[in-house]
Amino acid sequence: MSASRTELANAVRFLAIDAVEAAKSGHPGMPMGMADIAEVLWNGYYRHNPVNPKWPNRDRFVLSNGHGSMLHYALLHLSGYDLPIDELKRFRQLHSRTAGHPEAAETPGVETTTGPLGQGLANAVGFALAEKVLAQRFNRPGFDIIDHTTWVFLGDGCLMEGVSHEAASLAGTWGLGKLICFWDDNNISIDGNTNGWFTDDTAARFEAYGWQVIRHVNGHDPVEIDQAIRTAQAETGKPTLICCRTAIGFGSPNKQGKESAHGAPLGKDEIALTRAALKWPHAPFEIPDAVYDGWRARDAGTKRNAAWNDLFSAYAAAHPEAAAELQRRLSDALPEGFAEQAAAYIAKLQAEGPVVASRKASQMAIETFAPLLPELIGGSADLAHSNLTLWKGSKSVAGSDADANYVYYGVREFGMSAIANGLALHGGFLPYDATFLVFSDYSRNALRMSALIPANVIHVFTHDSIGLGEDGPTHQPVEHMASLRYIPNNDVWRPCDAVESATAWAEAIKRRGGPSCLVFSRQNLAHQPRSAQQVADIARGGYVLFESQPGACELILIGTGSEVELAVQAAKQLAEKGVAVRVVSMPSTTVFERQDAVYRESVLPAACRRRIAVEAGTRDFWYKYVGLDGAVIGMDSFGASAPADQLYVHFGITVDAVVSAVDNLK
């Protein structure tokens, strides 16, 4: 006898209950409340293949309220993903594939890492945008090769977070009709009933964003849920928010509808009562065969995947060039010859020696590389003409252009970077976004998530120091470079001229397994002479740029960005005094740290202890390179409003300051 819909949903509930109880931590309330919605979606509409979790045309499912992770793990296990019951029994334990919040790198079938509320929704907007733009580019009459839906579960907390507002507004503007979200409207958060702090007319707000809103759906009635999904799918020009009234901890006699069901185990006694109330007589982690039969999706998924493979084969026969390009992009492979073309451009820059702001050098790199990389999709938080992220081939994603490749994000730094993460995770795109460096604070958690997930995103930051001048301390980054460098798996580049800028772009494009932050100046930077070997060594993150006496080293000056020129000038003055001085340009400390010990020793020999670092930012970071007996020329305060040249003098970041500091070294 086949299992009923209630039994299928209860399997999800009790896997969550039992796993949280075994771990003695976790969030059972949301899985219990959204189980009925999940059952209708996953068994009726969600197109996926547990046998091939990376099938390109699969639907995407995002659990934005990621604290309810056991809901997702239960769904993955029951439907046939490589997530055995033993992994659920090890929920929240070291090295399990069932972490406290869903992690894309750990669990097959998890599309993005969620937990920081609201960002899952923003990632999902990136998924839906990627689907839209890829479909415009590659679909042909009779060949809807790219045609899938992004489904999102989200809660009250997600909708309180500002990033959800930023992302939802853009989703409406872009008309992302294949984005369908289920709001777990249970009026409960950690602190209790939300009537004291969340009284928005959420439905009206989303309607104002340009969404279709389906109100007052009983989240425990499969018929109402099914009808809501059908209505959502019928609207192709707008994203949809389905407002589902649910009870947190559904089925728990004493904790249903209460905050006590949110973030703690129900406890053995309450679990026993819940089993009785929901007529679930099975032991912990025991699932009847009939229930498994009702959930298994491997055969259906394989058939869907095979049908798409057949369609793609016919597509490839009819449109071979488009098919080959799509396959390349989805496999995350760079175009053949890109590395050689990039190297040739960098060599050309070294020979020509342009004196430009590194933000301008960045734009020059984009103009050169973008025509070679159709997967490159850029954007800026309403600063395109300051960040210089536009190029002559830029075309807005807001329309229906087949070659759309540029996102006007508006003043939405957090939403921008979180959406960019989604674009990267979807596949087929290499996104870059941009704002002023000081406003990286607004997008900070999305930057962290880029590194943690990981997502191959290029984050462009301009106006990198007090060098931006008159805008003053609110716009002058001081601590930001150090802060970004401290994010694990985050490559940070601050180039000193056009050649280093182009190299930073090339290395960021080639990188796999994490993001890159490219940090550029507002002011012009001098070109630095280099040998071919020095040009090649830029890609290693740090290298010897200047030596007054090759082979001898009494003093090392370390600089980045605009301060490299200052360090070279100081070195030349010191050389005139007979000092054997070396200048090390360190455009990326994070990349430099990945080099082998022999190379790092060749650049920063341990025997040379007299060292000075110079950077127009907080000084503390640099003591790891100069030691406590070294000196750092930098900032200990916020900036000020004045012309840039005056500010460098005012804050003591000058050639004279570097030269004078030598006298105080041991």
Side-chain angles (χ1 to χ4, degrees):
M1 189 170 79
S2 61
S4 67
R5 305 203 84 155
T6 297
E7 289 174 310
L8 296 176
N10 283 342
V12 173
R13 291 188 172 101
F14 283 97
L15 284 174
I17 290 169
D18 294 337
V20 171
E21 179 66 21
K24 302 301 180 186
S25 75
H27 299 77
M30 186 280 267
M32 296 169 71
M34 296 196 78
D36 297 301
I37 306 168
E39 190 280 322
V40 175
L41 173 62
W42 276 59
N43 285 327
Y45 296 93
Y46 182 46
R47 297 182 302 167
H48 62 124
N49 182 10
V51 180
N52 180 17
K54 296 299 184 182
W55 168 38
N57 200 43
R58 69 191 181 278
D59 288 353
R60 271 63 171 178
F61 176 77
V62 177
L63 193 76
S64 190
N65 44 353
H67 54 271
S69 58
M70 266 309 307
L71 173 86
H72 204 173
Y73 300 145
L75 294 169
L76 293 170
H77 168 72
L78 291 166
S79 60
Y81 284 81
D82 183 18
L83 194 68
I85 194 70
D86 285 346
E87 290 291 340
L88 274 64
K89 293 177 180 178
R90 297 177 61 236
F91 178 53
R92 290 186 162 222
Q93 304 309 299
L94 186 63
H95 303 312
S96 77
R97 284 187 284 169
T98 49
H101 293 82
E103 296 183 19
E106 299 292 336
T107 311
V110 173
E111 299 287 355
T112 181
T113 300
T114 58
L117 293 177
Q119 284 196 72
L121 171 59
N123 294 166
V125 172
F127 287 138
L129 178 62
E131 192 275 344
K132 170 183 181 289
V133 177
L134 277 180
Q136 290 171 186
R137 170 66 180 86
F138 289 102
N139 287 356
R140 301 289 187 273
F143 295 104
D144 288 339
I145 295 299
I146 303 297
D147 181 16
H148 51 264
T149 301
T150 300
W151 308 91
V152 186
F153 280 14
L154 51 85
D156 295 330
C158 291
L159 296 180
M160 285 185 254
E161 287 285 359
V163 67
S164 70
H165 299 246
E166 296 180 19
S169 174
L170 285 167
T173 297
W174 296 332
L176 300 179
K178 292 180 181 176
L179 174 65
I180 300 175
C181 302
F182 299 84
W183 170 29
D184 184 26
D185 182 13
N186 61 27
N187 282 129
I188 294 292
S189 64
I190 292 175
D191 283 350
N193 191 290
T194 59
N195 290 337
W197 53 86
F198 185 46
T199 59
D200 307 8
D201 188 341
T202 297
R205 174 157 58 86
F206 273 75
E207 287 172 341
Y209 291 150
W211 288 54
Q212 173 184 224
V213 177
I214 303 171
R215 303 170 184 242
H216 309 304
V217 175
N218 182 345
H220 303 297
D221 184 338
V223 175
E224 287 195 27
I225 298 164
D226 186 87
Q227 182 56 55
I229 294 174
R230 292 177 184 272
T231 303
Q233 291 184 316
E235 174 57 74
T236 60
K238 296 179 178 180
T240 297
L241 179 70
I242 303 175
C243 306
C244 299
R245 289 294 299 173
T246 65
I248 193 169
F250 179 88
S252 170
N254 297 300
K255 296 188 177 184
Q256 175 176 314
K258 300 177 181 178
E259 66 269 22
S260 57
H262 184 280
L266 297 184
K268 290 183 178 181
D269 292 343
E270 189 65 19
I271 291 173
L273 294 172
T274 306
R275 277 186 155 79
L278 294 177
K279 300 178 181 178
W280 186 262
H282 313 291
F285 298 104
E286 180 183 311
I287 305 295
D289 288 342
V291 172
Y292 272 125
D293 290 342
W295 273 105
R296 289 189 179 106
R298 294 173 70 90
D299 289 346
T302 299
K303 289 177 182 177
R304 288 192 196 97
N305 201 153
W308 184 84
N309 290 343
D310 291 343
L311 180 66
F312 190 85
S313 294
Y315 173 78
H319 308 283
E321 291 184 4
E325 176 65 10
L326 179 58
Q327 284 183 309
R328 180 191 68 78
R329 288 173 59 168
L330 292 176
S331 68
D332 205 22
L334 289 173
E336 186 176 350
F338 172 79
E340 291 77 12
Q341 291 170 298
Y345 173 65
I346 292 165
K348 179 174 177 287
L349 283 177
Q350 185 61 47
E352 294 176 349
V355 177
V356 295
S358 55
R359 64 169 176 162
K360 179 61 180 178
S362 169
Q363 186 181 47
M364 292 159 55
I366 296 171
E367 287 279 5
T368 301
F369 296 150
L372 309 175
L373 298 164
E375 61 265 43
L376 200 63
I377 183 167
S380 173
D382 203 47
L383 287 170
H385 298 285
S386 291
N387 299 144
L388 302 185
T389 47
L390 287 165
W391 63 289
K392 62 186 179 184
S394 294
K395 296 180 180 180
S396 174
V397 302
S400 57
D401 196 305
D403 296 317
N405 61 4
Y406 196 83
V407 187
Y408 292 90
Y409 285 104
V411 188
R412 299 182 180 94
E413 293 87 357
F414 194 178
M416 171 184 71
S417 294
I419 289 169
N421 287 341
L423 283 165
L425 291 167
H426 179 278
F429 291 101
L430 175 59
Y432 66 92
D433 56 24
T435 186
F436 288 175
L437 178 58
V438 76
F439 300 137
S440 65
D441 285 341
Y442 280 131
S443 56
R444 169 63 189 233
N445 201 260
L447 304 180
R448 183 176 186 270
M449 294 302 293
S450 294
L452 194 158
I453 292 169
N456 294 334
V457 181
I458 301 173
H459 303 291
V460 175
F461 300 112
T462 68
H463 297 61
D464 66 346
S465 70
I466 57 173
L468 69 90
E470 291 85 348
D471 279 344
T474 60
H475 284 53
Q476 292 166 3
V478 174
E479 74 277 20
H480 299 74
M481 285 296 305
S483 176
L484 293 175
R485 289 169 179 144
Y486 284 132
I487 298 175
N489 194 40
N490 186 41
D491 280 0
V492 182
W493 292 83
R494 186 174 184 240
C496 77
D497 64 3
V499 176
E500 286 193 358
S501 298
T503 301
W505 261 105
E507 294 305 305
I509 289 167
K510 289 186 283 186
R511 189 180 188 209
R512 297 294 181 268
S516 300
C517 294
L518 311 185
V519 182
F520 300 116
S521 72
R522 181 191 184 203
Q523 71 272 33
N524 287 347
L525 304 180
H527 172 73
Q528 297 298 327
R530 299 176 184 87
S531 67
Q533 185 59 56
Q534 286 173 309
V535 172
D537 286 342
I538 297 171
R540 307 188 75 166
Y543 64 102
V544 179
L545 176 65
F546 172 86
E547 281 190 300
S548 63
Q549 299 177 30
C553 184
E554 299 174 342
L555 172 70
I556 300 174
L557 305 181
I558 307 169
T560 76
S562 49
E563 287 70 66
V564 169
E565 177 184 355
L566 188 154
V568 170
Q569 292 173 354
K572 290 178 178 179
Q573 287 193 21
L574 291 164
E576 292 175 358
K577 299 178 180 181
V579 180
V581 58
R582 167 180 292 189
V583 175
V584 171
S585 179
M586 192 82 76
S588 179
T589 62
T590 49
V591 173
F592 180 74
E593 293 294 338
R594 290 202 297 270
Q595 306 306 307
D596 61 78
V598 173
Y599 179 77
R600 287 185 278 115
E601 171 66 16
S602 74
V603 176
L604 297 174
C608 186
R609 300 297 304 164
R610 302 179 79 220
R611 301 180 181 188
I612 299 172
V614 53
E615 185 175 64
T618 188
R619 299 191 309 147
D620 289 358
F621 172 85
W622 288 102
Y623 285 103
K624 68 182 289 186
Y625 291 108
V626 303
L628 296 179
D629 52 348
V632 181
I633 307 297
M635 300 288 294
D636 292 312
S637 67
F638 294 115
S641 179
D645 56 348
Q646 295 180 25
L647 291 173
Y648 273 87
V649 173
H650 176 74
F651 289 106
I653 305 174
T654 63
V655 172
D656 288 344
V658 175
V659 173
S660 297
V662 175
D663 296 332
N664 296 321
L665 297 179
K666 296 180 180 179

